[in-house]
Amino acid sequence: MTNNALAQHIARLIEETGPIPLSHYMALALGHPDHGYYMTRDPFGAKGDFTTAPEISQMFGELIGLWLADQWLKQGAPKRIAIVELGPGRGTLMSDLLRAIASVPGMSDAAEVHFVETSPVLREAQKARIPHATWHDSITTLPPLPLFLVANEFFDALPVTQYQRTRQGWCERYVGLDGEGFAPVLAPVPLASDAALPAAMRDAAEGEIAEISPASTAIAEEIAARIASHGGAALVIDYGHAKSATGDTLQAVKNHEYANPFEAPGTADITAHVDFETLAHAIRAGGADAHGPVEQGAFLTALGIDGRTEALSRNATPSQRQNIESARQRLTGAHEMGSLFKALGITPRGGTLPAGFA
C-alpha cells in the first residue's frame, strides 16, 4: 500500500468497520472529494494515463454529432433541446460535435449544452472549450427537454459490485487489509437470493465471479425514462461485452499501462467492462428502445468515417494524411478499439432504426 492520504483513509475505515464493499472502495478511489483520482487531475492524453477516442481524432465527435442531428430531424426538429454529455473529459468530443451540428440548419439555435461532471479539474478544462455549458453533478438535475445525450467511456468508471460463487452460495467480494496493502476478501455469509444477478450468471461454477453495476443500470433506466417522456436520443460508447457473462474485469491503468487496482488508490484509473446486455434491459425497463450493441468499428464505418477520412486527407500534407489514416485505424481496427468498444443506441419506443444499428 503506497502511503498516500487516500490509502491511509481507506485503511482506517477498514480498521474501524471491517472490510468495505468493492463498490465503496472504487467510489473512494475515483471520486473522494479531496484525493479521488478524477477529482485531482486531468488523466487524458500522452501526459496522462489513457487516451480516449475524441482525443485520437475529431472524426469521432463529428460523426456522433451527425448521428444526434439525424435523430433530431427524425423527431421533427424540436425547437428546444438539451445536448448532454456524461463524463465529458476535456470537452473535446462536445467541441467536435457542436462544430458538426452547426452545418444542420436550426439545430445549434435549439441546443443548450449540459455536462454531467463531478471533477473540478475537468470542469475547468471543459469551461475553457465550452464556456456556455451548464454543469451538473448528476443526471437528476438535467432540464425537462428532449435529451440528445452522449456517454463515451462513462459507464466503465461507475462502481461495480462483485460476487464469488462458493459452496455455500454467492458471497460478495469486499476489500480488506492484507499486511501493508489491500486485497479482495469474501463476505462470510452468502446472499439470501441471486435475484440481483443477470440470469446468465446464476448457474456459474464454484469460484466464478459475477460482476454487476447497480449505478449503471439506474442511470441507464433514468436516461431511458427521460427520453421516453420528453423525446431525444442517446449513444453509449464504451468497452465491454455484448452479453452478460461471469468474470472479473476490474482493472487499473496508470501511465498507459495496466496497474494493480488495489495498490495506491487515487493514483490510477479503475474501471470495469460494461455489461451491454444488462444496460439494454435497463433501457427497456425505462420505457425506451435499446439498439445494439454494435462494435465501434462497424458503427463508425456505417456512419461514414471512411468518407470523412478521405475528405480530411484531401488538403493534408503527407504526414498529416498518415496521422488521419492512423487515427481511423485506431478507432475502427479490430485489434485496436474497433471490436472491444461498442455502441448502444437509445431512442423513444417504436421509432425507426437509428443510423449505424442496421
Side-chain angles (χ1 to χ4, degrees):
M1 173 171 73
T2 301
N3 198 13
N4 66 33
L6 185 56
Q8 289 173 354
H9 170 75
I10 295 172
R12 275 198 306 275
L13 188 64
I14 292 170
E15 281 163 0
E16 287 165 13
T17 65
I20 59 173
L22 176 61
S23 56
H24 189 187
Y25 173 83
M26 195 171 166
L28 287 171
L30 296 178
H32 184 280
D34 299 320
H35 311 296
Y37 177 78
Y38 282 116
M39 311 310 257
T40 54
R41 73 200 67 218
D42 174 347
F44 301 100
K47 291 179 180 168
D49 294 314
F50 56 88
T51 303
T52 59
E55 305 290 335
I56 291 168
S57 169
Q58 69 187 72
M59 297 187 286
F60 185 78
E62 289 170 350
L63 291 171
I64 286 174
L66 295 175
W67 187 91
L68 292 178
D70 181 51
Q71 284 300 308
W72 178 70
L73 291 168
K74 281 177 176 161
Q75 292 180 36
K79 290 284 180 281
R80 258 192 90 206
I81 62 170
I83 291 188
V84 180
E85 189 175 359
L86 310 185
R90 293 171 170 166
T92 309
L93 190 157
M94 184 60 78
S95 173
D96 294 335
L97 181 163
L98 292 175
R99 190 175 57 255
I101 69 164
S103 65
V104 181
M107 190 171 181
S108 296
D109 295 333
E112 299 174 4
V113 178
H114 293 264
F115 286 143
V116 176
E117 178 62 76
T118 54
S119 163
V121 178
L122 291 174
R123 277 191 182 199
E124 286 309 310
Q126 292 150 18
K127 273 176 192 159
R129 275 206 167 95
I130 319 283
H132 60 283
T134 302
W135 280 263
H136 303 260
D137 290 327
S138 84
I139 60 170
T140 56
T141 55
L142 290 172
L145 293 172
L147 286 193
F148 290 83
L149 180 146
V150 183
N152 179 61
E153 290 202 53
F154 169 79
F155 282 95
D156 65 78
L158 295 179
V160 294
T161 301
Q162 289 183 342
Y163 301 95
Q164 190 164 343
R165 188 71 186 253
T166 69
R167 224 166 266 175
Q168 288 73 43
W170 288 101
C171 291
E172 186 171 348
R173 289 181 106 205
Y174 281 67
V175 176
L177 291 170
D178 176 27
E180 286 297 296
F182 301 112
V185 293
L186 287 184
V189 180
L191 287 178
S193 155
D194 61 7
L197 304 182
M201 298 182 187
R202 290 175 199 158
D203 297 329
E206 195 178 319
E208 287 203 53
I209 290 169
E211 193 174 78
I212 63 171
S213 176
S216 296
T217 47
I219 290 171
E221 192 168 331
E222 168 74 8
I223 292 165
R226 282 169 171 264
I227 287 172
S229 58
H230 300 295
L235 266 183
V236 174
I237 300 179
D238 224 313
Y239 52 88
H241 32 267
K243 296 279 179 198
S244 300
T246 52
D248 174 7
T249 74
L250 192 76
Q251 62 184 40
V253 172
K254 188 175 182 176
N255 298 325
H256 298 268
E257 291 183 356
Y258 289 110
N260 179 347
F262 301 107
E263 207 172 90
T267 67
D269 186 33
I270 303 179
T271 61
H273 285 212
V274 173
D275 176 351
F276 282 98
E277 185 176 15
T278 296
L279 276 195
H281 283 310
I283 290 159
R284 292 182 189 113
D289 281 344
H291 307 276
V294 297
E295 292 184 352
Q296 178 175 291
F299 181 69
L300 294 176
T301 301
L303 295 190
I305 195 169
D306 295 344
R308 187 67 185 124
T309 302
E310 213 173 285
L312 285 176
S313 299
R314 262 181 226 130
N315 301 316
T317 65
S319 83
Q320 285 170 332
R321 266 201 296 278
Q322 199 177 338
N323 289 342
I324 293 164
E325 174 50 37
S326 150
R328 185 193 69 83
Q329 185 56 33
R330 272 188 80 180
L331 293 172
T332 62
H335 298 295
E336 302 270 352
M337 298 173 80
S339 292
L340 177 61
F341 281 75
K342 296 173 181 70
L344 186 69
I346 308 173
T347 58
R349 189 151 280 169
T352 55
L353 194 67
F357 290 98

